[in-house]
Amino acid sequence: MVATILITGAGTGFGHEVALRLAAKGFNVIAGVEIASQVYALSEAAKKRGVDLQIEKLDVTCEGDRLKAAQWDVDILLNNAGISEGGAVADIPAANLRRQYEVNIIGPVLLTQLLLRKMVEKKKGRIVFMSSVAGLTTDPFSGAYSSSKHAIEAIASALSQEVKEFGIEVATVNPGPFLTGFNDRMFESWKSWVDDPTKRLFDYENIAFPHEQYDPEPVFETTIGVLTGEIENYRNVEPKEIIGQQKEQLEAVWSQKVTEGLGKRPALVQKAYDIKPGTPI
């Protein structure tokens, strides 16, 4: 039987392309998009590719949308929907912080709970979380987003242990800095803040995402491999060339001193001031 794959956040970015490619491979794809206008845009993209997929309005923060999705017979779930709220921990407004967690954590977990029930009945299923290297390490000005992905890492790890006895697989995909516009938009979210700009510690007009960014092609292919079972790894970092760097950063925390670099601007903070948005590798 052909597997049915539900992809949330399929209106843009990774989810958009992965949905179209999986449909081209013959899978039954349910593409969930956040807002109704994205239904038309994705349907037009599907027509141009000559593929068929079921497109549904699915805002993971909306209980009605989640209950609707619970009626579908889903074999594989890709929790891809997510937003990125940029800004220093000292500056980000409460509303933006709450929105970050509602979209990236609460909504996906509640949706997963509903879809799990049918998977448990069948003793089979696969749940994949689109996490990030930001779920493993953290950059300045991305504390809200990174903490939401750290939470997803914890949830995925716990869930993986909890549902093994029911025959359900759990995996993560952890993209690094890829040039899709997502990272650069994170560093523009301050433009909609409801706060007093005079009290901010940082000048966000002059700060950008502090990394050169890669072509996203490896993420598409790896995500498809994880969803289809061709890749069996639990954690899947892309690009693979930064895996060693991630491990080094995680290890370095064990010897880090709280007095280290006090009174000086860290290199990555300075790079955020120096780099131009959308800088490719």
Side-chain angles (χ1 to χ4, degrees):
M1 293 178 63
V2 177
T4 296
I5 304 175
L6 171 59
I7 301 173
T8 65
T12 60
F14 297 140
H16 180 93
E17 183 64 23
V18 168
L20 292 170
R21 293 193 186 191
L22 283 168
K25 288 178 176 288
F27 289 93
N28 294 325
V29 177
I30 305 176
V33 298
E34 180 189 6
I35 55 178
S37 62
Q38 293 174 326
V39 174
Y40 175 77
L42 184 52
S43 65
E44 288 299 297
K47 287 179 184 177
K48 290 180 181 179
R49 299 274 188 105
V51 300
D52 294 317
L53 67 168
Q54 178 182 339
I55 307 171
E56 300 280 353
K57 189 262 184 184
L58 176 53
D59 178 350
V60 297
T61 67
C62 173
E63 184 179 11
D65 284 1
R66 294 194 302 266
L67 291 173
K68 177 177 64 175
Q71 306 306 311
W72 304 330
D73 190 12
V74 174
D75 300 301
I76 303 166
L77 168 63
L78 173 59
N79 279 308
N80 171 75
I83 61 170
S84 53
E85 293 282 353
V89 173
D91 289 336
I92 189 168
N96 296 76
L97 186 61
R98 290 192 179 98
R99 176 66 176 165
Q100 179 71 87
Y101 293 161
E102 286 290 338
V103 176
N104 286 21
I105 307 169
I106 306 300
V109 170
L110 295 180
L111 176 64
T112 299
Q113 288 178 344
L114 292 171
L115 296 179
L116 259 175
R117 296 303 187 264
K118 288 187 177 180
M119 293 183 183
V120 168
E121 289 176 5
K122 294 184 292 185
K123 300 292 184 181
K124 186 178 181 181
R126 184 174 300 125
I127 297 169
V128 180
F129 291 90
M130 184 62 76
S131 183
S132 171
V133 295
L136 309 177
T137 58
T138 308
D139 287 344
F141 311 116
S142 64
Y145 173 70
S146 186
S147 62
S148 75
K149 292 302 184 180
H150 274 68
I152 286 299
E153 288 291 318
I155 287 163
S157 180
L159 184 65
S160 175
Q161 298 171 68
E162 294 159 357
V163 298
K164 280 187 184 297
E165 66 182 276
F166 303 111
I168 298 169
E169 303 167 16
V170 178
T172 70
V173 178
N174 300 69
F178 285 95
L179 192 53
T180 63
F182 184 85
N183 298 313
D184 296 304
R185 289 195 302 270
M186 174 167 59
F187 277 72
E188 296 178 352
S189 62
W190 62 270
K191 293 179 180 179
S192 64
W193 285 359
V194 179
D195 69 336
D196 182 352
T198 65
K199 294 183 178 179
R200 296 174 185 166
L201 290 187
F202 295 92
D203 177 9
Y204 296 102
E205 287 274 7
N206 297 309
I207 293 173
F209 181 69
H211 297 283
E212 292 79 10
Q213 300 179 64
Y214 295 83
D215 183 276
E217 182 62 30
V219 181
F220 303 146
E221 291 304 310
T222 292
T223 303
I224 290 170
V226 173
L227 289 170
T228 60
E230 296 173 24
I231 297 175
E232 296 184 337
N233 294 340
Y234 168 76
R235 175 173 289 160
N236 299 273
V237 172
E238 288 290 352
K240 293 181 177 61
E241 63 194 73
I242 70 169
I243 293 175
Q245 179 189 52
Q246 288 293 305
K247 291 180 178 180
E248 288 176 8
Q249 285 182 254
L250 288 166
E251 182 64 28
V253 175
W254 289 95
S255 58
Q256 181 178 324
K257 302 294 188 291
V258 295
T259 55
E260 187 177 313
L262 280 180
K264 299 179 181 179
R265 176 175 286 176
L268 204 56
V269 173
Q270 184 60 52
K271 188 171 182 178
Y273 282 97
D274 296 337
I275 197 170
K276 293 182 179 179
T279 301
I281 291 292

